[in-house]
Amino acid sequence: MEDKSAKGDALDDVRNRIDAIDLELLGLISERARCAQQVAHIKTAADGGQVQFYRPEREVAVLRRIKAANPGPLDGEEVARLFREIMSACLALERPLNVAFLGPAGTFTQAAAIKHFGHSVKTFALATIGEIFREVEAGSCDFGVVPVENSTEGVVSHTLDMFMTSPLMITGEVSLRIHHHLMSVTEDLCAIRTVYSHQQSLAQCRGWLDRHLPNADRVAVGSNAEAARTAATEEDAAAVAGLQAAEIYRLAVLAERIEDEPGNTTRFLVIGPQDSRPSGQGQDKTSLLLSCRNQAGGLHTLLTPLAAHGISMTRIESRPSRRGIWDYVFFIDIMGHRDDPKVALALENLRQASLLFKVLGSYPLAVL
Ligand SMILES: O=C(O)C(=O)C[C@]1(C(=O)O)C=C[C@@H](O)C=C1
């Protein structure tokens, strides 16, 4: 009996300490929010009409500093996630951002948007990648988030093709580990006759579906969230989608993490009217769209300036130009910001060697 009350006292002591810390934290977070309001006033006075409240290079600098200073016991990713949300709320005080994503609600693209901007932005589900570009170009949304490549299935060509004609720039990138789950209104795997999902997700779970649901029809639909929405209306159907979709459409998860490749990751791009300023520490990337003359060694000539200036290329993708004049265009990612002197020089040389040359944007490597 005595022992129990001693334990109770100890628990009360720690909880009282937690209550006091929470109040201190609240005071500090509120003070931080007031600082963000001051920043907004300073920016408005300095920039006039076209104020850029959202500053990706500053946000990654804050998150990098927090991760480096983290004393534990919380993991670095975890503290960065907490500060991501604090900054998201502070930015919403300055100006709430409208972010378009590939809908409907519950897609991985929405999860990527929230991972990048935090929960305090307003997200808008749009039906196609083309619509996202159009809404951001028109200014009705501040930014858009679109998938660009998956580690198992390769590039999302529609996104790359949009950059050939769009004036929008790449402001940031987000990588998301993709876990697929089988979900349904029924809790009985044997009752499933149809499996809905996006074509890429069906492909990413082919092995599991062959083993566990060899007789069910696989039906490709526009997105995983649409698959979940459809499966919610059919007794003998299931969807392959993310957990968010299961929550939104109230489906039971029959099997978790059914993707064939455990490292399955999708990369998304954040698009907006302008790119990011340098975040420093060599932690920026630049994306380019290029085409060369259709002759032997054309691509080699194009890439020589990068090698000459010691700039590393992290990705190259070719796409048919669909313009007739050039056969192919190349999407190239390099390390460094376009304002870094070495990168600026290499880009100038590249510009001279290319038929088509477009900087799609410089942006910080993702912290989260
Ligand atoms: O430093 C700024 O420019 C701010 O607006 C403050 C702040 C923050 O909360 O730290 C908020 C939004 C910006 O995207 C970057 C940082």
Side-chain angles (χ1 to χ4, degrees), residues 32 39 43 53-55 58-59 87 90-91 94:
R32 191 190 192 287
V39 171
K43 282 181 189 165
F53 292 106
Y54 173 60
R55 289 288 171 77
R58 171 65 185 159
E59 295 208 351
M87 266 195 296
C90 287
L91 175 60
E94 294 185 36

Side-chain angles (χ1 to χ4, degrees), residues 32-33 35-40 43 52-60 62 83-84 86-92 94 97 117:
R32 191 190 192 287
C35 285
Q37 285 177 318
Q38 280 176 25
V39 171
K43 282 181 189 165
Q52 285 176 39
F53 292 106
Y54 173 60
R55 289 288 171 77
E57 73 287 353
R58 171 65 185 159
E59 295 208 351
V60 294
V62 170
F83 277 82
R84 156 74 288 144
I86 292 174
M87 266 195 296
S88 180
C90 287
L91 175 60
E94 294 185 36
L97 288 187
F117 288 102

Side-chain angles (χ1 to χ4, degrees), residues 1-12:
M1 194 68 196
E2 249 183 56
D3 198 15
K4 241 185 176 172
S5 85
K7 217 194 259 170
D9 287 349
L11 187 61
D12 282 348

